[in-house]
Amino acid sequence: MSSRTPRRTYSRELPEAAPVDVLVVGSGPSGLGAALAAARNGASVRLVERFGFLGGNLTAGLVGPCMTSFSLDGQTQLVRGVFDEFVRRMAEVGGAVHPSETRSGSPYSGFMVYGHEAVTPFDPEAAKSVAVEMCQEAGVELLLHTFVVDTLTEGRQVTGVVVANKSGPSVLPATTVIDCTGDGDIAAWSGAGFDMGREGDGQTQPMTLFFRVSEVDDEEVRAYQRAHPEERFPFQGLVERAREEGAFRLPRRGVQLFKTLEPGVWRINTTRVLGLDGTDATDLTTGELTARRQVTELLRFFHEWLPGMGNCKLLDTAATIGVRETRRVRGEHLLTLEELTSGHAFEDTVAVAGYPVDIHSPTGPEGPFDDGIPPTANVYEIPYRTLVPRDLDNVLLSGRCVSATHEALAAIRVMPPSFAMGEAAGTAAALALRQGVDPRAVDVPALQRQLLDQGAYLGPRFESARLGG
């Protein structure tokens, strides 16, 4: 809303829930990692989620597969801990393929090679059930169908949040709050500084509505890709020809599609909505409507132009449009592209990743992995200070709202690094409570030791020290 929007003062007394040690807002990959780690380390944890199920982009967003949790060369699994347990538990019920069993250039990786070694195909329904099981086993209190609408602050402390749901508005107090909203809502509403978009014009990456199609001829799709190894993106030649002939004006240079675990069923990541603000409800509404119109047009293109997809049917669309980038909260350290490309070593490393910079152009059809952006190191590190907002003492960040540049965020925003950052944030919150300090003052070497003890991986130099090398 603009500064000229009419204002009205509104006040009332609100019921207040019992306080908890750690309040996690958002149950996507970051929120799951944070809630489970905090609870397993002895904290009382409440997890607030706006949908009626857990998972965020894993489930409501239909985003998949999980991008690589391995080094860029596909040789070393980097994201382990909670993420690996989550995947293995889904695999046990037939709901996932472990990333060690997938290869780039395959249908599971969308036939893409760069950055797509060792992806994780999974079923969103398996993700929903496994997420709930893990949270309940750990003693996490779940509060679904609930939006956070405001925060309560005293100086640099967030004392609680105001939520709204079918029970009406209420207050949820907590000692520590972990912002896993993706948009940095908690930090921003509490007065933390933030940036949005790329330097120069503030434009953010486009929104995308995932959808799934069924009744695809899998072998015919594979045969086309085998016959066109020169294409950088699936069906790129057909998309270009359709544009040249004026038959279709498609939002991307190819059709990004990923094979699911079910025969004939593929995820489609091809809608693209530009120039909108994911923190603005009006823009989100516009994005949903625009993307759903694109789904209809894409299906018509599939039927008329794409081998193996002439008889495909729309299975479902995501419950919400996917937002790649909004607020990046200013933290104690700003993670930069140069640090990712050089593999900079940090003293306070709490996560490592190998996914490359994946910027979808804010203004056109380009991306991901366009020329001009240097490749990341095979393994790069994420320091704890990127999770610590500069302006707040008892709040931690995780996921795509952490302190990073536009370019660096484009690498670490995907789901496996988000799990790792969430696990680090949740562990830090519980450790800070035991130490009687704010999370920003936590003993980082103790935090690193605890992460290693619970199965996380922090890179070769930490592994060498752990093994006494």
Side-chain angles (χ1 to χ4, degrees):
M1 294 184 182
S2 72
S3 59
R4 292 178 294 178
T5 301
R7 303 282 169 170
R8 176 177 296 186
T9 299
Y10 173 82
S11 64
R12 62 178 291 182
E13 290 187 348
L14 300 180
E16 183 172 287
V20 293
D21 296 328
V22 178
L23 177 68
V24 179
V25 183
S27 75
S30 278
L32 290 175
L36 288 166
R40 289 172 173 181
N41 279 283
S44 60
V45 179
R46 179 178 288 130
L47 177 57
V48 176
E49 168 55 47
R50 61 178 172 143
F51 291 105
F53 48 85
L54 304 179
N57 274 335
L58 286 158
T59 53
L62 279 184
V63 178
C66 291
M67 290 294 100
T68 187
S69 52
F70 276 57
S71 52
L72 189 56
D73 63 9
Q75 296 302 304
T76 305
Q77 185 173 351
L78 305 179
V79 182
R80 305 179 189 177
V82 168
F83 170 76
D84 192 67
E85 178 187 351
F86 180 71
V87 171
R88 290 183 184 278
R89 289 181 64 155
M90 286 194 294
E92 287 174 1
V93 295
V97 177
H98 193 270
S100 62
E101 300 175 22
T102 68
R103 293 292 175 265
S104 65
S106 71
Y108 281 147
S109 68
F111 303 105
M112 298 182 71
V113 176
Y114 183 64
H116 284 62
E117 193 70 54
V119 300
T120 304
F122 69 94
D123 177 74
E125 293 303 317
K128 290 177 184 177
S129 62
V130 170
V132 167
E133 289 169 3
M134 291 176 68
C135 285
Q136 290 182 327
E137 289 168 6
V140 175
E141 177 191 335
L142 302 178
L143 186 58
L144 307 179
H145 295 290
T146 299
F147 267 94
V148 175
V149 297
D150 203 357
T151 63
L152 304 177
T153 61
E154 293 180 5
R156 293 170 57 92
Q157 300 276 329
V158 176
T159 59
V161 302
V162 180
V163 299
N165 53 32
K166 294 297 287 185
S167 302
S170 62
V171 173
L172 306 180
T175 303
T176 300
V177 181
I178 305 180
D179 189 338
C180 300
T181 62
D183 300 312
D185 290 340
I186 305 305
W189 296 342
S190 303
F194 61 87
D195 298 290
M196 284 185 69
R198 63 187 179 187
E199 190 173 352
D201 62 7
Q203 290 288 322
T204 58
Q205 296 187 63
M207 301 179 187
T208 288
L209 182 75
F210 262 80
F211 62 100
R212 294 188 295 183
V213 293
S214 62
E215 300 190 29
V216 174
D217 186 327
D218 297 342
E219 183 49 42
E220 198 172 345
V221 172
R222 291 188 185 98
Y224 176 89
Q225 298 305 318
R226 286 195 298 268
H228 297 83
E230 77 286 353
E231 292 188 355
R232 189 175 183 188
F233 303 104
F235 297 117
Q236 186 170 357
L238 293 176
V239 169
E240 290 172 353
R241 202 177 92 204
R243 280 194 181 132
E244 290 168 1
E245 296 181 9
F248 291 89
R249 185 170 179 81
L250 298 169
R252 295 187 61 173
R253 291 178 298 174
V255 176
Q256 194 163 18
L257 74 171
F258 298 94
K259 181 75 178 66
T260 72
L261 305 180
E262 297 295 323
V265 177
W266 295 68
R267 297 180 192 249
I268 311 296
N269 175 14
T270 306
T271 65
R272 172 168 289 196
V273 185
L274 302 168
L276 300 181
D277 177 358
T279 66
D280 182 276
T282 300
D283 275 9
L284 285 169
T285 301
T286 299
E288 293 278 2
L289 299 178
T290 302
R292 292 182 189 281
R293 285 194 296 270
Q294 290 182 4
V295 170
T296 300
E297 185 73 355
L298 284 166
L299 285 168
R300 191 163 70 89
F301 173 69
F302 294 175
H303 292 156
E304 295 180 19
W305 284 72
L306 297 190
M309 303 189 73
N311 296 313
C312 73
K313 294 182 179 179
L314 179 63
L315 181 62
D316 54 5
T317 58
T320 181
I321 196 165
V323 178
R324 290 184 174 88
E325 179 186 15
T326 54
R327 304 184 186 100
R328 306 187 315 276
V329 179
R330 295 171 190 161
E332 290 297 319
H333 178 82
L334 179 70
L335 189 65
T336 67
L337 175 61
E338 192 281 329
E339 289 166 338
L340 302 191
T341 59
S342 67
H344 184 83
F346 296 99
E347 290 187 1
D348 60 336
T349 296
V350 291
V352 292
Y355 188 64
V357 175
D358 181 1
I359 293 181
H360 295 246
S361 171
T363 54
E366 293 78 20
F369 314 127
D370 278 311
D371 297 333
I373 297 176
T376 58
N378 189 46
V379 179
Y380 55 80
E381 302 181 2
I382 301 172
Y384 180 61
R385 287 166 294 155
T386 64
L387 313 184
V388 181
R390 192 174 62 191
D391 302 319
L392 300 168
D393 289 334
N394 70 325
V395 173
L396 288 171
L397 313 165
S398 185
R400 61 178 173 81
C401 64
V402 299
S403 180
T405 63
H406 170 74
E407 295 78 12
L409 181 72
I412 66 172
R413 65 180 172 82
V414 295
M415 293 190 286
S418 292
F419 265 103
M421 288 186 279
E423 182 170 359
T427 305
L431 188 59
L433 287 163
R434 291 205 299 267
Q435 294 175 350
V437 299
D438 285 325
R440 67 168 50 258
V442 76
D443 182 338
V444 172
L447 170 59
Q448 292 167 328
R449 289 192 297 272
Q450 183 58 39
L451 288 169
L452 292 169
D453 287 346
Q454 58 201 37
Y457 179 72
L458 302 182
R461 58 198 178 90
F462 287 90
E463 190 70 3
S464 177
R466 186 176 73 87
L467 298 174

